[in-house]
Amino acid sequence: MKTALLNVTSRRKPADLFVIGSFEKDRLPKEIHSLESEFARTFQKVASMDHFSGKVGESFALFHDSNHEASEVVILGLGAKKDYATLGLRKVVGQVSKLAKARKAKTVRILLDSFCHGDVKPATAAGTFGEIWLLAAYEFNRYKSPDPNAKKNGKEDTLEFLTLKKQNSAALEKSVKDGLSVARGIMLTRDLINEPANVMTPNALAARAKKLALEKKFICKVIGPAELKKLKMGGILGVGSGSINPPALIVLEYGQRYKSKGTFCVVGKGVTFDTGGISIKPAKDMDKMKYDMSGAAAVIGIMGVISDLKIPVHVVGLAPTAENNVSEDPQRPGDIVHMHNGKTVEVLNTDAEGRLILADALSYAAKFKPKAIIDMATLTGLVVYTFGDKAIGLMTNDEKFAARVKKAGEQTGERCWELPMWDDYREMIKGNHADLNNIGGPHGGTITAAKFLQEFVPEKTPWVHLDIAGTAWCDVPRYDCPKGATGVGVRLVTKLLSDWK
Ligand code: BES
Ligand code: ZN
Ligand code: ZN
């Protein structure tokens, strides 16, 4: 995708589509009057006809051959000024990106000033346009026969930002570039998740991580079964024993030169398919369980983005990956496994496998003496019942760190809601024949899963656990995402790390 910044005095060819934002009450952005007089008159007419009130979701299209800017002009409702924020803009951009796609518009000119208000500065607005433009056009269609009538996918579009004000063009350019990088990271994450489990095995996931590391010049090490045994990672090995596709621990490392300022660990669940194992899942919707590696896919996407953005933080990404299946010699309910940190676990339910592989990765993180750890996992069905797809379940051992994660969540639209971590819940996972059970009974399952993980977090290390089971997949297409993987976590953690000091 190409982008350009145009000043109102720049000479310019007509675009395919010209886009203007308009707030409720204001109706017409005053900037219109600095454009062609004919243009301004037409808009004046629209306003006086009361066809358009500026509410969110509203749009008004005009066609006029003699318009200088474009033969088609679209005015988009931005709602009330007092409610306007980046999140609202994101939705509007998703709407216009879809419209441009339907019209096959290749060059889209945006009256940048008309989308700016309050915290939405020109650079933020331009960055959001870039990011959402790509995301809204995302499709996963590599397994479909090519459609000769297929519409373009947004990648070849040119976005022109027209402004009447003097802008800091370097800041604007950087913001657009960063927005595009974030979108590419999210799309990579979506691709990894949307791939079927017969393709995206643990080894295939590791190979994709290696490829990206090579491209972006960060470190990638894959720990296979032999070394996992030496490291006594009974959690990862036990889950992996249910499949002919061997498990692995993917270790990614970026920004070693910033090590002196402390290390940040990002851990993600990488179950490439979750049948439930011997404690097998019901058939309904089981196909969706290819998304059980969404946490690991987000870790890989995040590493790609932060290396593009060159953020000054040392980050270690850990993605334990396994297929939870049934084989000749799978893990059985009642099996006891020895974990990397020396604790023993009785596997009462082989479907509670995510916590087993994450536990080994979390204790392995101690090696890097991290300042903070964040993990992302499609860990429990119960979090889907609680929040649907509207919030990530957040659990923590450190309120200060959690506050920063929640703030990044609000800013990026990947909202997190905290659940309590009282020690009463710890009682529920106390072991019968081992130190711990891997399930805590039918109730409070999202929290007991987090309490289990906490047993493996290195001592005195601030840690946030994000249960993304409800948010990593969208069943109903969204303004910036078709049905399938959302890539949740990438935007949130990238924001958190970009603001890290
Ligand atoms: N991958 C699932 C979590 C999940 C379930 C996500 C349904 C989305 C929809 C996880 O491995 C799992 O199976 N968890 C069990 C835990 C239970 C056995 C204690 C669950 O939530 O049912
Ligand atoms: Zn499971
Ligand atoms: Zn699972």
Side-chain angles (χ1 to χ4, degrees):
M1 195 173 81
K2 278 191 269 173
T3 56
L5 178 64
L6 304 175
N7 198 275
V8 74
T9 53
S10 329
R11 289 174 68 100
R12 49 193 189 274
K13 285 194 206 135
D16 298 323
L17 188 66
F18 188 65
V19 186
I20 300 173
S22 173
F23 288 100
E24 227 175 306
K25 294 213 176 85
D26 275 16
R27 302 281 180 84
L28 280 182
K30 55 184 180 315
E31 290 84 7
I32 291 229
H33 299 287
S34 312
L35 300 173
E36 281 177 285
S37 52
E38 187 172 344
F39 219 64
R41 270 199 299 280
T42 321
F43 283 111
Q44 214 95 56
K45 221 174 186 173
V46 173
S48 66
M49 277 158 57
D50 250 4
H51 282 349
F52 176 81
S53 66
K55 289 208 171 67
V56 179
E58 232 182 353
S59 64
F60 193 94
L62 289 162
F63 298 84
H64 209 304
D65 268 351
S66 59
N67 276 343
H68 173 72
E69 299 290 356
S71 50
E72 180 174 3
V73 180
V74 174
I75 320 175
L76 294 161
L78 303 180
K81 266 191 176 160
K82 64 172 178 42
D83 302 330
Y84 189 61
T86 323
L87 207 57
L89 175 62
R90 300 176 73 85
K91 291 184 183 160
V92 170
V93 178
Q95 185 190 351
V96 63
S97 149
K98 291 210 161 72
L99 189 125
K101 189 174 173 183
R103 301 280 207 272
K104 298 191 176 160
K106 279 202 175 342
T107 308
V108 181
R109 186 167 300 155
I110 295 138
L111 186 58
L112 186 61
D113 313 314
S114 67
F115 290 93
C116 299
H117 176 72
D119 284 346
V120 186
K121 307 274 184 257
T124 329
T128 304
F129 261 98
E131 182 191 331
I132 303 294
W133 203 268
L134 283 190
L135 288 181
Y138 172 84
E139 284 173 323
F140 183 75
N141 54 11
R142 61 180 298 192
Y143 295 102
K144 286 185 178 165
S145 307
D147 172 2
N149 301 315
K151 288 178 186 139
K152 58 181 192 80
N153 59 14
K155 282 187 203 145
E156 311 94 48
D157 292 346
T158 301
L159 289 188
E160 296 178 344
F161 299 106
L162 177 67
T163 174
L164 311 174
K165 298 186 183 128
K166 202 168 154 23
Q167 302 288 357
N168 177 346
S169 56
L172 221 106
E173 252 165 51
K174 179 168 185 325
S175 179
V176 174
K177 203 167 145 254
D178 290 358
L180 295 178
S181 289
V182 173
R184 288 195 191 102
I186 294 172
M187 294 196 293
L188 167 75
T189 297
R190 286 181 185 174
D191 276 348
L192 295 174
I193 302 167
N194 285 329
E195 282 287 355
N198 58 336
V199 173
M200 197 49 67
T201 59
N203 272 339
L205 187 66
R208 294 281 194 108
K210 270 190 181 161
K211 185 167 168 269
L212 184 76
L214 211 68
E215 267 169 43
K216 309 273 179 193
K217 302 191 178 57
F218 59 82
I219 301 169
C220 174
K221 191 179 147 201
V222 178
I223 302 177
E227 210 184 330
L228 290 174
K229 258 181 219 136
K230 278 192 210 148
L231 291 166
K232 299 196 168 54
M233 295 205 174
I236 301 179
L237 287 164
V239 175
S241 68
S243 169
I244 54 161
N245 297 309
L249 174 62
I250 306 169
V251 184
L252 308 167
E253 192 169 357
Y254 158 85
Q256 266 183 322
R257 74 182 116 147
Y258 309 113
K259 218 172 180 169
S260 58
K261 289 202 293 176
T263 299
F264 196 103
C265 270
V266 187
V267 183
K269 172 177 172 182
V271 172
T272 57
F273 195 79
D274 186 7
T275 64
I278 291 289
S279 318
I280 201 155
K281 285 186 179 296
K284 190 176 177 299
D285 294 334
M286 211 211 267
D287 58 291
K288 198 170 140 179
M289 281 302 136
K290 67 175 184 178
Y291 97 129
D292 213 16
M293 36 65 81
S294 295
V299 169
I300 297 170
I302 290 161
M303 297 302 286
V305 181
I306 61 173
S307 46
D308 270 359
L309 267 49
K310 301 193 174 55
I311 63 145
V313 186
H314 179 224
V315 182
V316 173
L318 298 174
T321 175
E323 183 182 325
N324 191 23
N325 210 335
V326 275
S327 64
E328 275 179 352
D329 185 21
Q331 180 155 262
R332 292 147 291 250
D335 280 4
I336 293 177
V337 289
H338 290 262
M339 308 293 281
H340 179 61
N341 72 346
K343 293 190 182 175
T344 54
V345 176
E346 188 170 4
V347 183
L348 295 182
N349 188 317
T350 61
D351 196 12
E353 84 298 340
R355 61 199 76 183
L356 296 171
I357 67 166
L358 284 168
D360 277 341
L362 285 168
S363 50
Y364 186 72
K367 185 175 138 103
F368 302 96
K369 301 192 176 58
K371 216 153 101 173
I373 305 180
I374 190 161
D375 82 69
M376 294 167 289
T378 46
L379 206 60
T380 65
L382 283 173
V383 87
V384 192
Y385 281 91
T386 311
F387 298 120
D389 63 355
K390 308 297 178 231
I392 295 169
L394 180 151
M395 286 139 274
T396 187
N397 63 2
D398 186 294
E399 289 305 329
K400 252 169 112 180
F401 179 39
R404 300 180 73 155
V405 178
K406 285 186 231 172
K407 184 173 171 211
E410 292 296 328
Q411 290 167 328
T412 54
E414 300 193 336
R415 288 189 294 201
C416 304
W417 202 261
E418 189 172 350
L419 297 170
M421 286 282 274
W422 300 311
D423 271 337
D424 308 60
Y425 291 105
R426 162 76 177 75
E427 294 298 308
M428 296 165 72
I429 49 161
K430 249 198 196 148
N432 303 331
H433 306 110
D435 297 330
L436 298 163
N437 290 336
N438 79 327
I439 53 169
H443 304 134
T446 302
I447 301 171
T448 50
K451 285 310 269 185
F452 181 92
L453 295 182
Q454 194 177 7
E455 294 292 311
F456 299 88
V457 173
E459 265 193 44
K460 298 199 178 95
T461 310
W463 158 75
V464 159
H465 159 59
L466 300 178
D467 195 331
I468 56 170
T471 46
W473 186 269
C474 77
D475 290 312
V476 181
R478 237 169 44 184
Y479 69 93
D480 65 344
C481 189
K483 180 182 164 82
T486 61
V488 76
V490 176
R491 197 184 300 130
L492 170 83
V493 176
T494 301
K495 178 79 181 144
L496 179 76
L497 294 174
S498 305
D499 296 346
W500 199 256
K501 278 192 193 82

